[in-house]
Every structure is written in C-alpha cells, then in structure tokens.
Amino acid sequence: MRHRVKGRKLGRTASHRLATMRSLATALFLHKKIVTTLAKAKHARTFIEPMITKAKADTVHARRLVEVHIKDKEAFKELFGDIIQKVGDRPGGYTRIIKLGQRRGDAAEMAILELVDYSDIVEKEKPRKKVVKEKAETVEEANVVEETTETVEASEEVAEEAAPETEATEEPAAEETVEENAETEETPAEEAEPKAEEKKEETSDKNEDEKKDN
Amino acid sequence: MAHPKRKISKSRRDKRRTHYKASVPSLTTCSNCGELKLSHRACPNCGYYAGRSVFVPEG
C-alpha cells in the first residue's frame, strides 16, 4: 500500500533530489519555460508552487525562506521582481506542464514546464529561418557542383573527339622526334588493348554459350 | 516451500503469451497542421498544443 506516500524519488538520494529541484526552480525562474522529463516536471511542481506562494508575501521572512533554495541572484531578483508582479493574486496553479512525447535514446516522456503567466512568450522564429537559408545555399552549391561536373564531362567528350583527329594529322608529319611518336603510339595502343580484351571475352562467352547449346 | 510439479510446456507457455499484445497508440490529427500526433501531447511537426505555439520545431 502506498497510502499517504507523497512525491517520487527520481532514482536519487535525498540531497541529490533536493539539488535537482533547486536547479530546476532556478532555471524556471530565469527562463520561464524549461524542457525536462515528465517525472521531474511533475515533482518540481510540488517544489516550485509553494515557493512562489511564499514569495508573493514579499516580506523579509519570505525572502529568507526562498533564499534557502534559490542561490542564483539573477533568478532571485526575477522571482521577487517580475514574476510575483505578473502572478498577481492568482490562487495557486502558477505552472503548466505540456507533454512532448518520448525522447530519442531512453524513450523518456518529455515535457515543457512553464509559468502560466508567461504563456504569451513565444520562441523566436529566427533559428528556423537560418536553417531554411542554409538549406537553400547547400542546394545552390549542389547545383553548381553538378554543373561543373557536367561541363567537365562535356570537355572530356570534346577532348576524346578531338584526340583522334590530332593523332591523324600528326601521323603523316611524324617521325620528327621519337618521344612524340611514342606518345601517339601509346595512346591508341592503350585504347585498343581493352577493346581487344573485351572482344576476346565476348568471343569466349559466345564460345561457352555455343558449348552449352551443344 | 511449494514447487511446480511440472515444467510448463511450450504449448502452455505460448498459449499464455497469446494475450500479450501491443496496443494501438491513440492518435489524433493536429488542429493546427493536420498531421497525425499522439493525443494530449504537443504536435512534434508544428509545435502547437491547445491552439498556441509551444515550441518551434527544428528545420
């Protein structure tokens, strides 16, 4: 029976759990909206809401009670300045939890924990635009690369077409130098050899086929 | 202490396991973008929940 058993352990020791809650509360007061696991968000709610209720009194005693947990001066100022002003006389229920689904890796249920009175704050759209621009640039680059490769291919084709002609013209006027001859002779030889091999293979294949047929 | 008299046969074991079934996730359509999403969760596609933008999705 788990009658009257409150809260959850989060797989931590008491001191570790308290430290986690303090850091979550500090982060929430600073940023008004944090993403964490659902279990931590639900537990942090029971830690943060009473603290805001105490802070609303805005007395020296209240400040000292909150000071125990909130060591960050910026977050502390934010709570006693902006947040309790915005919260006004809301009777509890200062936070909202929105489920986000499971995260990659450990499939933990994630959630947004946010202050209800700051729900008008929407994330800036800037990062999204940047991403779009980067994508466009990469696409352009890809196009350029494709074009260059095409031109390279075209030039290669031209070169191949031109090469036999030059060889033909050189051959009559040949035998001026040995090196040139060597070059001109080598290139056709190289081209001819693979072809000959291919033909051989083809003929051998044909022979095999014929053998099979027989 | 009491102990099983017989080893559970493959047949009995497998018959028991016929009732272990995966459940169908409860999907709804997003009211903002129309994509399929898990109910009671922010839409992973557009970042909307309950008619307002909760987060800006990446990319």
Side-chain angles (χ1 to χ4, degrees):
Chain A
M1 286 193 291
R2 58 166 299 283
H3 292 175
R4 305 190 69 183
V5 177
K6 219 177 158 186
R8 56 210 91 199
K9 289 185 178 176
L10 300 173
R12 286 147 211 253
T13 60
S15 57
H16 187 186
R17 197 158 50 238
L18 183 61
T20 307
M21 287 304 113
R22 283 173 177 174
S23 62
L24 281 175
T26 307
L28 185 71
F29 294 149
L30 276 178
H31 302 288
K32 322 297 191 266
K33 183 193 241 180
I34 57 175
V35 178
T36 180
T37 63
L38 183 62
K40 269 187 270 184
K42 282 187 171 178
H43 192 70
R45 201 168 47 177
T46 68
F47 182 80
I48 290 163
E49 300 235 356
M51 202 168 3
I52 296 176
T53 305
K54 275 173 202 150
K56 277 202 299 185
D58 199 13
T59 58
V60 176
H61 179 55
R63 279 171 182 269
R64 291 203 173 140
L65 284 175
V66 172
E67 215 174 25
V68 172
H69 298 304
I70 306 299
K71 309 289 185 187
D72 188 278
K73 281 182 181 173
E74 284 295 311
F76 190 81
K77 264 195 250 174
E78 195 69 26
L79 173 62
F80 277 92
D82 210 24
I83 291 172
I84 58 169
Q85 222 175 9
K86 273 222 172 193
V87 165
D89 52 357
R90 183 183 292 278
Y94 315 109
T95 58
R96 178 189 290 129
I97 290 173
I98 298 165
K99 289 173 197 163
L100 290 179
Q102 293 169 331
R103 78 174 156 203
R104 260 185 109 92
D106 63 353
E109 183 77 33
M110 299 302 286
I112 291 173
L113 178 65
E114 64 180 4
L115 293 168
V116 172
D117 294 289
Y118 287 84
S119 53
D120 54 328
I121 294 175
V122 181
E123 280 178 61
K124 290 171 189 173
E125 297 272 336
K126 275 181 184 177
R128 206 180 190 181
K129 282 178 185 172
K130 274 184 186 173
V131 168
V132 172
K133 274 185 183 175
E134 283 171 5
K135 269 187 182 175
E137 283 172 6
T138 51
V139 168
E140 282 174 8
E141 284 174 5
N143 283 338
V144 169
V145 170
E146 282 175 8
E147 283 171 11
T148 51
T149 51
E150 281 172 9
T151 51
V152 167
E153 285 172 7
S155 60
E156 281 177 359
E157 283 173 9
V158 170
E160 285 175 4
E161 284 174 7
E165 288 177 8
T166 52
E167 284 170 14
T169 51
E170 279 179 31
E171 275 174 14
E175 295 170 8
E176 287 177 0
T177 57
V178 184
E179 288 178 359
E180 275 186 10
N181 270 337
E183 281 177 7
T184 48
E185 281 173 7
E186 274 177 9
T187 45
E190 281 175 2
E191 284 177 4
E193 278 175 2
K195 282 178 185 174
E197 285 176 2
E198 283 174 9
K199 280 178 185 174
K200 280 178 187 174
E201 284 175 5
E202 283 174 9
T203 50
S204 63
D205 287 347
K206 278 178 186 174
N207 289 335
E208 284 177 3
D209 289 346
E210 284 172 4
K211 283 176 186 174
K212 281 178 186 173
D213 289 337
N214 291 333
Chain B
M1 282 292 285
H3 278 305
K5 191 172 186 178
R6 291 256 174 273
K7 177 181 178 177
I8 296 282
S9 69
K10 287 172 194 167
S11 171
R12 268 180 172 264
R13 182 200 64 198
D14 293 348
K15 275 180 191 165
R16 180 173 66 245
R17 290 182 184 173
T18 59
H19 293 283
Y20 300 172
K21 288 166 189 168
S23 57
V24 181
S26 55
L27 295 173
T28 53
T29 52
C30 175
S31 58
N32 183 57
C33 67
E35 284 278 314
L36 274 178
K37 71 173 194 70
L38 283 168
S39 53
H40 305 293
R41 275 156 191 82
C43 175
N45 187 51
C46 64
Y48 269 67
Y49 185 70
R52 78 187 185 94
S53 180
V54 176
F55 69 95
V56 178
E58 290 173 25

